[in-house]
Amino acid sequence: MAVRPIRVFGDPVLKSVSTSIDEIDDGVRALVRDLVDTVELPGRAGVAAPQIGVGLRAFSYNIDGDIGYVLNPVLVEVSGEPEPIGEGCLSVPGLWHDAIRYPRAKVVGIDLDGNEIVIEGEGLLAQALQHETDHLDGTLYLDRLSPEERRVAMREIRESDWF
């Protein structure tokens, strides 16, 4: 369908809790096509619906060329010792900071046919699953930074040309 523009820090949709998808209709199917088209661009590991201005619980992912989506995802399991890992966000362009993430994660949701999807992995996939489900709860990766790191990030945002 279309590559949609990414909403950036300061847009209220990014701090809002997304609504569950109760009915899979043409609008939801179009949303999934747009999420997949938008995440296919180089350098993108995931795109959540709020990042394209839609307050519904859905995201797409693109990890090592494996592209997919999930509706109504729930982060059901994380494991391992949480650790700081370099992270960025399309909605906070140009910034890269260490966010605390678990090395393994599991998400359960549904596909466009209403069938259960289970996505689990480690490394970048685990990080993306945590990052994208955070977006659906109105949480940005900035909220996962240490207080000192967050102060630095907020200063960088204020000094950026996009803010």
Side-chain angles (χ1 to χ4, degrees):
M1 288 278 297
V3 172
R4 302 268 295 269
I6 301 293
R7 303 290 180 96
V8 296
F9 179 84
D11 189 314
V13 72
L14 296 173
K15 295 302 285 178
S16 301
V17 175
S18 297
T19 304
S20 290
I21 296 169
D22 295 327
E23 180 183 342
I24 297 170
D25 57 15
D26 289 342
V28 170
R29 283 186 276 282
L31 170 63
V32 167
R33 284 191 301 273
D34 289 352
L35 284 168
V36 168
D37 287 350
T38 303
V39 83
E40 284 182 320
L41 295 178
R44 296 185 172 184
V47 175
Q51 291 182 280
I52 61 171
V54 179
L56 293 176
R57 297 192 74 79
F59 69 77
S60 59
Y61 59 90
N62 181 356
I63 306 297
D64 298 325
D66 181 20
I67 297 171
Y69 71 91
V70 61
L71 306 177
N72 294 334
V74 176
L75 185 64
V76 295
E77 184 180 320
V78 290
S79 60
E81 287 298 315
E83 57 191 27
I85 185 164
E87 191 163 318
C89 180
L90 297 171
S91 294
V92 191
L95 273 69
W96 191 263
H97 291 277
D98 285 344
I100 303 298
R101 296 289 183 192
Y102 289 88
R104 289 179 292 289
K106 179 179 180 179
V107 162
V108 175
I110 60 171
D111 66 14
L112 285 171
D113 296 319
N115 299 316
E116 182 179 83
I117 295 176
V118 177
I119 306 166
E120 58 186 315
E122 52 189 42
L124 183 57
L125 178 57
Q127 186 178 5
L129 295 175
Q130 293 168 80
H131 182 107
E132 301 310 327
T133 54
D134 272 355
H135 271 302
L136 304 179
D137 294 328
T139 300
L140 293 172
Y141 93 102
L142 300 171
D143 301 316
R144 301 272 182 208
L145 303 179
S146 69
E148 182 178 313
E149 191 90 7
R150 184 171 164 79
R151 278 192 295 281
V152 170
M154 296 308 291
R155 184 173 57 249
E156 290 173 345
I157 289 169
R158 287 189 300 274
E159 294 170 354
S160 71
D161 59 358
W162 56 263
F163 183 64

